Amino acid sequence: MVRSVGVMWAGLWMTRRIFVMASGRPGPLRWLFYAYGGRLGPRYAQWVLHDLTCRAWFVRHLLRTVAQWAPSLLLLLLPFPVSFTVLLPLMMLFCALYMAVSFAWEMRSARLYRHGFVPELVLSEPEDDPPGPAGPPGGSDGP
C-alpha cells in the first residue's frame, strides 16, 4: 500500500510517498544484511516486529548468529593441519553461540529500537490479573 503524505517546506507543498506494511519477508540478500545488524526500511517493519516478538524469536536469533558464523567455514580451505582448520571454526561457533545466548534479550531490544519500535512497549508483559469485576477473594459478595 502506498500512501502520499504532504509536507510543508519553505512555503512549498511537497508530497512524499511512504510504503506501509508490505506483505512478505525480505529477500535473501536483505535478510543477510539484517542478520549482520543492518536496518531494513519501513517497508519491512511488520516483518521485523514479527521476527523479534514471535514465539520462536530465540531460535531465529540463533539462526542469525549461525549466518554470521558461516564465513568462518572458509578457514577449512587453508593449508594447515586438519585439527587446526576444523577446531578453529568449531571454537568460533561455540563462542558466537555463547555470546548470542548470553545477550539475546539485549540484542533483541537493540534491534527493535534500531527499527523504530520502543522495546518497553512492544515487549511489555500482560498484567497478572485479567480485567473484570473485582470481588472478594472468597467468591461471595457478603454475609
Side-chain angles (χ1 to χ4, degrees), residues 75-76 81-91:
L75 293 172
L76 295 174
V82 175
S83 62
F84 181 77
T85 57
V86 170
L87 288 178
L88 189 59
L90 288 177
M91 185 176 69

Side-chain angles (χ1 to χ4, degrees), residues 7-50:
V7 178
M8 181 65 103
W9 181 72
L12 299 173
W13 187 260
M14 303 175 72
T15 60
R16 185 174 63 170
R17 289 187 168 190
I18 296 177
F19 294 94
V20 180
M21 192 170 150
S23 61
R25 50 175 286 137
L29 292 178
R30 285 186 195 252
W31 184 84
L32 274 176
F33 177 70
Y34 171 73
Y36 276 93
R39 182 182 184 279
L40 297 177
R43 180 176 181 184
Y44 298 106
Q46 292 297 319
W47 180 83
V48 169
L49 185 63
H50 170 74

Side-chain angles (χ1 to χ4, degrees), residues 97-119:
L97 289 175
Y98 179 79
M99 295 300 286
V101 169
S102 298
F103 297 105
W105 286 264
E106 290 83 1
M107 294 167 114
R108 177 171 72 158
S109 294
R111 197 175 287 265
L112 280 167
Y113 185 75
R114 186 179 310 128
H115 284 87
F117 297 105
V118 179

Side-chain angles (χ1 to χ4, degrees), residues 111-134:
R111 197 175 287 265
L112 280 167
Y113 185 75
R114 186 179 310 128
H115 284 87
F117 297 105
V118 179
E120 292 81 15
L121 297 177
V122 175
L123 300 175
S124 64
E125 294 293 325
E127 305 249 349
D128 291 336
D129 298 326

